[in-house]
Amino acid sequence: MPSLKKDVTQVYWQPLDKLLAPDTARTQSLKGFDDEFIDITDYIIRITHRIWEQKNVGLCFDYYGEICPVYTLGAYSESVDLVVQNTLKTIAAFPDRSLIGENVIWNDEGDDTYYSSHLITSIMTNSGDSEFGPATNKTGRVTTIADCVCKENRIIEEWLVRDNSFLVKQLGIKPIDAAKKVANNAVHPTFTKWYASEYERVINHDHRKDVAKGDEYTNLDEFNAKQFAQSWQQTIFNQKQFSKLVDYYHLNASLQWPGGRNALGVAQISGTIIQWLAQCPDCKLTFDHIGITYFDEHTCDIAVRWALAGTHSPQITELEHTRGDKFFVLGATHLKVHKGKIAKEITVFDEIALMANLLRTQQQSFAHLGGKLDV
Amino acid sequence: MFNALINLYTQGDIAGLQAKLLHSSSWQQHNFTAYGSSQISRLWMQNLNEFGFSELIASEQIDDGQFSALLCLFKNNNDKVVRVAFNFEHKQEFIKRVTCTLDSSSYAEYLQLEDEELVNTLPTADPLVITQFDHQLHPQSYHANPSDLANLASNKKLIDSWWSIWQSHNFPLIKVIYSEDANINLPTHSTKNNTSELTRFILSLGQSLNRSYSQLERVTVDKDNADKIAICWQIDADINEAGTIHRIKLPIQTFITIENSLILNEEIVIDWHAAMKRFNLNESLIKLSNGC
């Protein structure tokens, strides 16, 4: 594995004023990017700040490709106009939304293309009507991971996941009620097509094949992070060998999963993953992209984009009628790996969209029979 | 760093502490996490409004370079004392995240509020899903010991023994690892406790908390004095209130001072009232905060 670059901007300990006005020379080639950007992290942090916190929504026209597929678990869009419209709608519903950049994990994809995975914490007050219902005037916190393919100063493809179940709970809305509201919105045919093709791709993954964890190492540059992450996902999520969690996690590792699932240590992590997987016990998971970034002498940050598919086995009565339906998740995870084991995991996916998709499938099936399901 | 935290409560120096925060800093208190300067400042303002400016009558500082812990005893005009524990990640001049735990038994007395009144003043806790897990210490399963998380040097056996009292209820070790004149401050209304009262407190927790599991979060050893140790940990357990079983999570901060290879001082800080608010509980936790 090539050495990790150590001179690209690190967000974790940087004050905002320094992030917004870097004073060092460019450290990556960034062909086609504006001269002001010193590296891909700088590009992501500053354009996000300009678009969201300075409310220059129209800058999306400068920083997004004219055609930019944006995948979320709830919708699909591909034109920059829609990116602008959706950004505007979100700011209207949450006018004081702050975007606190927690981390940017990146990868040089070659061909002057960069992949970034941006972990964001937002604080925002729901003072306007939103996709979840009327304004609640409550303030909430939400974690987002935005994975972007960037080329020549523009984002040309994006995968966006947000922990909406955690958000709506703070707004005083039950997640299932938010999902019912969202399910009433029609989805674009392209989304339906993408959703079906992704489900088929993931469900056919070979989940039994062993993936070795890789050798022990003393120097971080010898750590095969990609193999480690692939092995972690295959062993835990596909093969469901939970006694091996200790091979991947530190004994006091912390885990943050959607909706407020927090775990500390191997026993709690085991319980959290088992309980969650039980709603889709035959699930298969694909490892779709990885980014690896240097943090310190013994620590690296890993960003993994993944997808999961299987059959729904509901854990709440309001979804009982969706038993046996297709269950599909688009997710992203940021890992802090210290001395070869996970010290911190933040996993994000949109549980509201997940439930809405299940409800929507039922609505459509019922409509075919001439009825309308009241959800 | 320590002074900036203390000055917040003694002088109301919000600007001084704010200068040490990053855009991405967080402050967790009463099971609520404030992010960013505007949320954190609001929380401080509320604290200062309730506290008034306080007098610092004692403090304990533990610094391992990256994580530090601070225990403060603040006194107000009514001569009431509150214990406040901080555990924070920092680097040079900046603080990244702070866990602030108020000993809520002393806090209620400090503010001269009834339990219910205090609960009503607290912020709404972050959403939390406590998932069920196997709490048993199976022979070949792995559970953190303090020495797994920090270099305890010559105190390894002592601190691992201390943990086994909480994790495995290994009570005979109390006589082995505590000094005869150990000074223990339990998170109850009574202070200046001894090892007998510590035993009774752990027994009372054990009786009230079913299927309990203790998990370490962080062990901080002072870089200049290895006999000063701070431990962040938590208990997950079932608790019965009015015939209904509730699964709860109790974050705890413990400060230990060792002398002659025995525990001489121990401070245990729990925010019972934040747990009451988060889990909508009342009598069961009030009983525990009263030490019975």
Side-chain angles (χ1 to χ4, degrees), chain B residues 187-213:
Chain B
T188 62
H189 287 286
S190 64
T191 51
K192 304 280 180 208
N193 312 110
N194 56 32
T195 51
S196 302
E197 285 154 324
L198 171 69
T199 308
R200 273 201 296 279
F201 178 69
I202 300 173
L203 280 170
S204 119
L205 275 184
Q207 188 187 354
S208 302
L209 303 179
N210 192 26
R211 298 197 310 131
S212 76
Y213 182 81

Side-chain angles (χ1 to χ4, degrees), chain B residues 70-268:
Chain B
L70 171 67
L71 179 74
C72 294
L73 271 70
F74 293 115
K75 191 172 82 171
N76 65 8
N77 292 335
N78 299 320
D79 282 341
K80 298 289 183 190
V81 175
V82 63
R83 290 188 301 157
V84 187
F86 305 88
N87 198 292
F88 53 102
E89 183 185 12
H90 63 94
K91 189 177 190 183
Q92 295 152 4
E93 72 266 48
F94 293 114
I95 299 176
K96 184 72 177 181
R97 56 191 164 123
V98 180
T99 302
C100 171
T101 309
L102 279 88
D103 171 39
S104 68
S105 299
S106 63
Y107 190 41
E109 290 176 19
Y110 188 89
L111 299 179
Q112 296 183 300
L113 292 176
E114 296 298 321
D115 293 311
E116 196 179 329
E117 289 176 309
L118 175 56
V119 167
N120 288 338
T121 68
L122 303 181
T124 303
D126 297 337
L128 175 69
V129 176
I130 309 182
T131 26
Q132 295 288 340
F133 62 92
D134 188 349
H135 67 285
Q136 300 169 98
L137 305 176
H138 294 297
Q140 293 195 357
S141 57
Y142 293 87
H143 308 274
N145 278 312
S147 58
D148 294 320
L149 310 188
N151 180 6
L152 295 164
S154 61
N155 291 321
K156 176 181 184 299
K157 192 175 171 195
L158 178 92
I159 295 298
D160 282 351
S161 298
W162 167 83
W163 181 242
S164 79
I165 294 167
W166 288 98
Q167 197 186 43
S168 318
H169 298 150
N170 201 345
F171 291 112
L173 285 174
I174 288 181
K175 277 195 172 168
V176 178
I177 65 168
Y178 282 86
S179 166
E180 271 185 23
D181 53 352
N183 174 37
I184 301 164
N185 276 326
L186 297 171
T188 62
H189 287 286
S190 64
T191 51
K192 304 280 180 208
N193 312 110
N194 56 32
T195 51
S196 302
E197 285 154 324
L198 171 69
T199 308
R200 273 201 296 279
F201 178 69
I202 300 173
L203 280 170
S204 119
L205 275 184
Q207 188 187 354
S208 302
L209 303 179
N210 192 26
R211 298 197 310 131
S212 76
Y213 182 81
S214 301
Q215 169 67 44
L216 290 163
E217 181 178 0
R218 187 174 311 115
V219 177
T220 308
V221 182
D222 191 80
K223 61 183 185 226
D224 297 322
N225 180 357
D227 287 339
K228 289 181 6 180
I229 298 163
I231 300 148
C232 278
W233 57 290
Q234 56 182 231
I235 299 177
D236 276 44
D238 291 344
I239 193 163
N240 185 337
E241 179 154 305
T244 304
I245 305 292
H246 301 261
R247 189 78 180 158
I248 64 164
K249 187 184 286 288
L250 271 181
I252 301 169
Q253 292 200 44
T254 297
F255 290 71
I256 289 173
T257 309
I258 296 164
E259 195 174 279
N260 298 325
S261 301
L262 293 171
I263 295 176
L264 184 64
N265 286 300
E266 179 171 4
E267 302 271 352
I268 306 169

Side-chain angles (χ1 to χ4, degrees), chain A residues 12 102 251-252 260 268 272, chain B residues 35 89 96 129 131 215 217:
Chain A
Y12 197 81
E102 302 267 11
L251 293 176
N252 65 335
Q268 292 182 23
T272 301
Chain B
Y35 255 92
E89 183 185 12
K96 184 72 177 181
V129 176
T131 26
Q215 169 67 44
E217 181 178 0

